[in-house]
Amino acid sequence: MKGRFKYIFILLYLFAAAACSPERNTWTSKAYHNATAHYNGYYYAKDEIQKIEKTLWESLIDDYNKILRLHPQLDTALASDYDEQIQEAIKMASIAIQRHPNSKWVDDCYILVAKARLYSFDWGNAIQTLKWVNSKSKDPNARHKAIIQLVRTFTEHQEFNNGQAAIDFVEKEELNKENRKNLLIEKAYFFQEQEDYDKMVRNLTEVAPLLKKKDKPGRIYFIIGQVYQELGFESEAYNYYKKCLSTNPEYEVDFYARLYMAQVTEISRSKSVNAARKSFKKLLKDNKNKEFKDKIYYEMGVFEFKQKNLNEAIALFNRSIREGTNRRIDGEAYLRLGEIYYDTLRQYELSQAYYDSAINSLPKDYERYEEIKARQEILDDFVKNLNTIKWQDSLLVLANLDTAGLRMMIDSTLQARKAVEDANQSKKKRKRSNRVEILSNTNSVFDTGDDSNQTTDWYFGNLSAMSLGQSEFRRIWGNIPLEDNWRRSLRSSAPGQLNQNAIEPAGPALSEESVSDQAAPVDPVGVEFERINNQIPRTEEQKTAALKLIEDSYYSLGDIYYFKLLEKDNAVVTYNKLLDRFPETEYEPEILYKLYLFYKESEDPKSELYANRLKSEHPNSTFTKILINPDYLKESSQAVEKQKALYKTAYEQYENGDYDLSLQTIDEAYTIGENNFTPALELLKILITGKTDDINKYQFLLTEFIKSHGDHEVGAYAKKLLEASQSFQKDQEKKDGIQYIRSLEEPHYFLVVYKNEENMSMAASSALARFNADIFKELKLKTSNLVLNDMYTLTLVADLPGITTALDYIKTFNEKLPTLTEFRNHKFHNFVITKDNFDIFYRTKGLDEYLKFFERNYPAEIQ
């Protein structure tokens, strides 16, 4: 018996050994190699691939505000973390291929290798491997499986043309159920990556009946619901969200499915509206949804907006911001509010604030981010110009108040605001939050709680405009509470309480006495007074500058309305305001032309009124020429070419010293007409003046040219010429000494020069302005302050028409000086000076030299 068992064992061993041979094609050999390849190399390779896919899914952070991804996004940084698993998968699959070449699992092992290559971003080898399987495999299912994986690979590599070719090819084949399901999923992903949601959802609805539990059907049903909601098919979206819930998906998907179901509930009767609202409230009450409250309030806001309940929608979006911890949801709520105030309510100041917050909250990869940022920049520009008008207008009004009146005004408005806040707090205690909510009531320092002030153009009556001042105040002084005795610099705290705004010094502890000595008085009224008072235009020049800012802002506002906000009616109103308030505005020709175009579009007879006004009042304007001849710009370009040819000739004549001939050529070029090349001709004429006339005249002409053409390309060159001339003149003056001009029969300035430490610029300019108004009112003199150098400041009175008036002015000033209290107890020099000599004086800072010149050349009785 023992011998017989031994014989049988040897036979079995020989049989097994024969079956192990990879070259044999017997059924025993096939069974052995199939089993070994499947449960060794293929099994372990597949296990490594599944681990990689699990890592990819776990790394995916779903954004439920967008359509969820069908596949997790591949990431090169993450690929390095699972590189070891990639290598192991390729190794195990390769062993199965090499040791069991006749096994039916060889094709599947190659496909696993291709997957590993895909996940490691080795696109080329992945594609070649799959193509090899398609061309060499005898198993049609394996070939189909390889092509479907090839579609995925092309999609990930953004090779959509090749992906479409692969789809077209495999769709002609007869697929089994598994391959059919996988193809539909890969096609849906292919279209998702191209944002073709219509074709995406067609494939997903077709694959829905084929899904198994391992395919995460709940997630796919949810995605189908999202796509239908995006496309506007809300009833279909509702059905798929409901299907999603029936699969018991993970909690987050379950929550959003319920939330969006309430959003897409068909609203046909008020009963349905109430049912939807109850669904939202039910979600809010569920403690498990505590971290999603911001999203619930946001979706409630979207729902109410659809029902055209704007007030409720605004309140809910603001509530979402207060409750939120998710910056993206905050950003979307800010964006919705900005859109409501922009598109529906046309309140651009509030819209700007919300858009600004949206841009600061939303990630830069957010859909439509660039479009949102573009609108935010338009609104920023709009509000900036609007606030400039209100601020400068307010400052011009405040210029009529004395310092006591201004202080009283600031004090009273702060007290009024405190009274309103106290009244509101007594009615309702508001829940404090560290979230910032933008409200129409900005709690400006000049807000009295009277809504009637909100529509005024006066800066301090406009809540939005005052936010700039409030922010600056808080930056300097912190959030100082309004309470009794708030103006006192030293307020005692209750025992055991700490001042929240106190900052503990980093150095050694200070004694109580030293702390008391160093404590700076905190007077919010004084701070606000200083801030505003320093900006109030007191002199005529300052008022002119303020008015110029207003004029420019009106022009910019009109253009923003006209070209960016596309509100032409508001643009017309703004342009007309500009024309009414500034009849001499430099923008008049352009505005008249725009008004002509606006009324011409609607065939309004007013168009002819503006056309005639443009032609009669501005016959030489470019806009008049365009009005008369629509081809003017085209013809103007031809004129420019002619002028350039003449300019070249004139410049050669200038270089050869033929200045008179050069001037004649320039005059000939002028006859062609004015265009954008004309400033170059004008500058060449000034260069000739520099060669033939006094250096002061040359510098004067350059200065005037820069004022007129500073933005032109030749303006920069003119600045360099002026700097070079002034530098040369300074060098000459250092070499020869300061030489003042003895010709006194020309307009004069009156100057008061004093050391900076006297700190009398405001007092001096105010006193001289009053002196001018009392005694020399008919001359309409202008007063301004200038810093001469690090040591001296001067107050200047312009323009005294001639030597006789100048002498009369300084004589009268000296006689009235004892009555001008602002000059008491101050040391200063006062004198008159011609305009040309002032240019030399201000450039050289030669005070002592001019005082000697003044003493020698002007009558002794005025000194």
Side-chain angles (χ1 to χ4, degrees):
M1 288 293 291
K2 286 183 180 180
R4 188 180 297 174
F5 278 120
K6 184 176 181 181
Y7 176 73
I8 293 170
F9 177 77
I10 291 171
L11 286 175
L12 289 172
Y13 176 78
L14 292 173
F15 176 79
C20 287
S21 173
E23 287 78 21
R24 293 179 65 86
N25 200 26
T26 62
W27 69 269
T28 54
S29 177
K30 287 181 180 179
Y32 170 78
H33 286 292
N34 285 339
T36 307
H38 184 199
Y39 294 106
N40 283 287
Y42 174 80
Y43 175 85
Y44 288 112
K46 185 179 179 181
D47 183 57
E48 295 299 328
I49 293 295
Q50 287 174 340
K51 288 177 184 176
I52 293 167
E53 289 174 342
K54 184 181 178 183
T55 301
L56 288 169
W57 278 108
E58 288 174 349
S59 69
L60 176 64
I61 300 174
D62 284 319
D63 179 4
Y64 287 88
N65 299 300
K66 299 165 71 174
I67 294 170
L68 299 189
R69 295 179 61 86
L70 284 166
H71 290 304
Q73 190 159 8
L74 301 183
D75 182 8
T76 52
L78 187 63
S80 60
D81 293 343
Y82 54 68
D83 183 65
E84 187 177 333
Q85 292 165 320
I86 291 285
Q87 300 308 323
E88 185 65 18
I90 294 173
K91 175 185 172 184
M92 298 309 297
S94 299
I95 289 173
I97 293 167
Q98 292 167 3
R99 294 184 181 177
H100 312 288
N102 293 328
S103 164
K104 68 178 182 180
W105 295 99
V106 169
D107 296 335
D108 296 281
C109 286
Y110 272 119
I111 291 172
L112 287 178
V113 170
K115 272 193 176 183
R117 299 295 188 195
L118 167 66
Y119 294 145
S120 64
F121 292 85
D122 187 357
W123 312 108
N125 282 325
I127 291 168
Q128 290 304 317
T129 302
L130 293 168
K131 286 183 175 179
W132 187 91
V133 174
N134 179 52
S135 62
K136 299 295 183 181
S137 175
K138 297 177 182 178
D139 181 1
N141 292 329
R143 292 201 309 273
H144 299 156
K145 188 176 180 181
I147 297 172
I148 293 166
Q149 182 61 34
L150 191 60
V151 173
R152 167 79 187 280
T153 306
F154 282 136
T155 302
E156 294 290 1
H157 200 220
Q158 303 286 297
E159 294 184 34
F160 296 119
N161 289 335
N162 289 332
Q164 186 63 58
I167 290 170
D168 294 341
F169 178 83
V170 77
E171 280 187 325
K172 297 174 184 176
E173 304 288 316
E174 187 175 341
L175 306 178
N176 62 24
K177 260 189 176 181
E178 184 68 17
N179 282 338
R180 182 69 185 161
K181 177 189 71 176
N182 290 334
L183 174 62
L184 289 169
I185 291 174
E186 295 306 335
K187 280 177 66 181
Y189 182 60
F190 173 81
F191 290 118
Q192 182 181 29
E193 287 296 284
Q194 298 175 79
E195 297 184 359
D196 188 343
Y197 296 124
D198 181 48
K199 291 181 180 178
M200 175 189 176
V201 80
R202 290 172 187 266
N203 285 280
L204 288 180
T205 52
E206 191 177 343
V207 81
L210 304 175
L211 295 174
K212 297 178 182 177
K213 190 174 181 180
K214 66 175 184 177
D215 300 315
K216 300 184 178 179
R219 181 183 179 87
I220 291 180
Y221 292 149
F222 181 82
I223 292 172
I224 295 173
Q226 282 187 303
V227 177
Y228 272 130
Q229 187 175 358
E230 175 75 15
L231 296 176
F233 299 101
E234 297 193 343
S235 60
E236 291 297 325
Y238 181 90
N239 293 333
Y240 274 97
Y241 286 140
K242 194 172 182 181
K243 267 191 175 184
C244 168
L245 294 175
S246 69
T247 64
N248 294 319
E250 57 189 45
Y251 181 73
E252 201 167 6
V253 174
D254 181 283
F255 164 75
Y256 279 100
R258 294 179 189 278
L259 185 63
Y260 293 153
M261 272 180 71
Q263 190 66 262
V264 298
T265 299
E266 185 179 353
I267 306 299
S268 57
R269 299 183 304 275
S270 60
K271 185 177 180 182
S272 301
V273 174
N274 292 331
R277 287 173 179 152
K278 284 181 181 178
S279 298
F280 284 124
K281 289 179 181 178
K282 187 176 179 182
L283 288 169
L284 282 172
K285 287 180 181 178
D286 192 336
N287 287 332
K288 295 194 296 293
N289 298 335
K290 188 175 181 180
E291 63 180 289
F292 300 119
K293 274 190 174 184
D294 54 350
K295 181 63 177 176
I296 298 171
Y297 282 118
Y298 173 80
E299 294 299 336
M300 288 171 74
V302 173
F303 178 82
E304 294 298 343
F305 180 74
K306 285 182 179 178
Q307 311 314 310
K308 304 190 185 307
N309 298 325
L310 286 186
N311 290 335
E312 290 83 351
I314 290 169
L316 287 165
F317 287 134
N318 277 315
R319 185 71 182 271
S320 170
I321 294 165
R322 289 199 304 273
E323 295 285 347
T325 55
N326 186 319
R327 282 182 61 80
R328 190 184 189 99
I329 296 174
D330 285 354
E332 293 199 326
Y334 282 129
L335 178 60
R336 285 280 190 170
L337 287 163
E339 289 172 341
I340 289 172
Y341 284 109
Y342 184 97
D343 296 318
T344 309
L345 300 178
R346 302 292 183 184
Q347 295 182 21
Y348 297 122
E349 291 173 89
L350 278 172
S351 180
Q352 180 270 338
Y354 283 117
Y355 265 99
D356 193 55
S357 297
I359 283 296
N360 289 327
S361 300
L362 291 171
K364 291 188 177 179
D365 61 352
Y366 183 78
E367 184 181 4
R368 299 192 305 120
Y369 183 87
E370 291 304 320
E371 178 188 334
I372 295 164
K373 186 167 180 60
R375 181 176 280 191
Q376 178 240 351
E377 288 171 352
I378 291 171
L379 289 170
D380 274 354
D381 196 20
F382 178 88
V383 172
K384 175 186 173 184
N385 284 288
L386 195 64
N387 285 342
T388 296
I389 293 170
K390 293 175 180 176
W391 177 243
Q392 295 302 325
D393 270 338
S394 299
L395 291 177
L396 288 168
V397 172
L398 293 177
N400 298 319
L401 295 178
D402 57 16
T403 56
L406 181 60
R407 279 183 174 274
M408 188 180 299
M409 179 183 177
I410 295 171
D411 191 13
S412 62
T413 50
L414 283 171
Q415 293 289 358
R417 173 182 147 190
K418 180 179 182 299
V420 172
E421 287 183 350
D422 290 344
N424 290 336
Q425 287 176 1
S426 66
K427 290 179 182 177
K428 182 179 179 180
K429 290 184 178 179
R430 298 186 178 184
K431 183 180 178 180
R432 296 192 176 215
S433 172
N434 60 350
R435 311 295 297 174
V436 177
E437 180 183 358
I438 300 169
L439 298 171
S440 59
N441 179 5
T442 58
N443 291 331
S444 158
V445 76
F446 284 96
D447 175 22
T448 62
D450 183 1
D451 292 339
S452 64
N453 287 337
Q454 293 181 13
T455 58
T456 181
D457 282 341
W458 193 53
Y459 179 83
F460 296 116
N462 184 280
L463 305 176
S464 182
M466 275 302 299
S467 62
L468 178 65
Q470 182 190 18
S471 299
E472 182 68 9
F473 180 85
R474 284 179 175 168
R475 183 183 68 80
I476 297 172
W477 296 102
N479 192 16
I480 298 175
L482 286 173
E483 56 191 24
D484 291 340
N485 303 319
W486 61 274
R487 291 185 63 186
R488 294 185 182 177
S489 59
L490 298 175
R491 290 173 291 174
S492 57
S493 300
Q497 291 181 338
L498 293 175
N499 183 352
Q500 294 178 354
N501 293 326
I503 301 176
E504 188 172 331
L510 299 174
S511 68
E512 185 176 342
E513 182 180 355
S514 64
V515 170
S516 177
D517 290 341
Q518 294 183 22
V522 178
D523 182 5
V525 172
V527 173
E528 193 68 3
F529 169 81
E530 288 298 324
R531 186 183 74 82
I532 295 171
N533 191 53
N534 288 337
Q535 298 181 61
I536 292 175
R538 302 289 184 185
T539 67
E540 288 301 319
E541 286 186 356
Q542 290 171 342
K543 290 177 181 178
T544 301
L547 288 169
K548 180 59 178 169
L549 287 173
I550 295 170
E551 179 186 347
D552 292 342
S553 294
Y554 267 122
Y555 171 77
S556 298
L557 273 181
D559 276 1
I560 294 169
Y561 271 130
Y562 200 102
F563 298 109
K564 296 179 179 179
L565 299 179
L566 302 179
E567 292 194 12
K568 293 187 177 180
D569 289 331
N570 279 332
V572 169
V573 171
T574 306
Y575 286 144
N576 279 316
K577 276 187 180 180
L578 173 55
L579 294 178
D580 292 341
R581 187 167 178 184
F582 301 97
E584 303 298 323
T585 178
E586 63 184 287
Y587 302 116
E588 186 176 47
E590 183 179 351
I591 291 172
L592 290 174
Y593 182 70
K594 287 174 182 172
L595 292 172
Y596 159 76
L597 292 177
F598 172 78
Y599 286 111
K600 187 181 178 183
E601 283 179 7
S602 58
E603 298 181 354
D604 192 313
K606 285 183 180 178
S607 62
E608 287 303 314
L609 177 69
Y610 286 108
N612 292 332
R613 186 175 166 188
L614 178 59
K615 286 185 280 188
S616 62
E617 296 180 15
H618 306 280
N620 296 320
S621 166
T622 301
F623 295 98
T624 306
K625 293 171 183 176
I626 295 171
L627 176 67
I628 297 170
N629 178 15
D631 294 328
Y632 168 76
L633 292 177
K634 181 180 178 181
E635 294 172 3
S636 178
S637 65
Q638 296 170 355
V640 167
E641 294 304 317
K642 292 179 183 177
Q643 282 189 339
K644 284 182 178 178
L646 288 169
Y647 176 87
K648 183 178 179 182
T649 303
Y651 191 79
E652 289 173 355
Q653 293 166 343
Y654 161 76
E655 285 191 317
N656 294 331
D658 298 328
Y659 302 126
D660 291 336
L661 196 58
S662 180
L663 287 172
Q664 291 176 15
T665 308
I666 292 171
D667 290 338
E668 183 184 349
Y670 274 134
T671 61
I672 295 173
E674 186 177 348
N675 52 57
N676 59 2
F677 188 73
T678 306
L681 295 169
E682 189 178 339
L683 183 58
L684 180 55
K685 204 169 184 179
I686 294 171
L687 290 175
I688 294 172
T689 302
K691 295 290 187 180
T692 60
D693 214 324
D694 179 65
I695 190 171
N696 291 316
K697 185 175 180 181
Y698 172 65
Q699 291 181 358
F700 171 78
L701 291 174
L702 281 175
T703 302
E704 293 301 309
F705 180 86
I706 291 166
K707 288 179 183 176
S708 303
H709 306 291
D711 296 332
H712 196 278
E713 57 185 344
V714 296
Y717 180 58
K719 289 176 184 175
K720 290 181 180 178
L721 290 174
L722 181 60
E723 289 169 2
S725 176
Q726 290 171 340
S727 177
F728 170 78
Q729 193 174 31
K730 284 180 182 178
D731 292 341
Q732 287 296 112
E733 286 167 351
K734 286 180 183 177
K735 183 178 178 182
D736 303 334
I738 300 173
Q739 299 293 324
Y740 286 105
I741 302 168
R742 294 182 182 276
S743 175
L744 306 180
E745 294 297 331
E746 59 176 279
H748 277 64
Y749 295 147
F750 172 76
L751 267 62
V752 177
V753 183
Y754 41 86
K755 289 187 176 180
N756 296 334
E757 62 199 41
E758 294 289 337
N759 195 23
M760 59 181 289
S761 57
M762 290 298 292
S765 60
S766 297
L768 287 172
R770 193 169 62 253
F771 175 77
N772 295 338
D774 292 343
I775 303 173
F776 295 92
K777 186 176 182 180
E778 69 283 355
L779 295 178
K780 296 181 180 179
L781 301 173
K782 298 175 182 178
T783 307
S784 59
N785 295 316
L786 286 172
V787 174
L788 181 63
N789 53 29
D790 292 338
M791 183 177 294
Y792 288 101
T793 301
L794 62 88
T795 300
L796 177 148
V797 176
D799 296 294
L800 299 167
I803 181 64
T804 304
T805 308
L807 295 176
D808 183 36
Y809 187 95
I810 190 171
K811 183 180 178 182
T812 307
F813 175 82
N814 290 334
E815 290 171 354
K816 298 287 185 181
L817 186 58
T819 66
L820 300 175
T821 57
E822 289 85 350
F823 290 96
R824 290 177 185 171
N825 303 319
H826 290 290
K827 295 180 180 179
F828 56 88
H829 302 284
N830 63 289
F831 49 82
V832 291
I833 185 171
T834 63
K835 284 186 176 182
D836 288 342
N837 281 335
F838 178 77
D839 291 339
I840 298 170
F841 167 73
Y842 192 73
R843 184 179 64 251
T844 61
K845 317 300 180 188
L847 177 60
D848 293 335
E849 290 82 356
Y850 184 76
L851 290 174
K852 291 176 183 178
F853 175 86
F854 180 72
E855 185 178 345
R856 289 196 302 268
N857 292 278
Y858 284 87
E861 61 267 21
I862 66 167
Q863 298 181 27

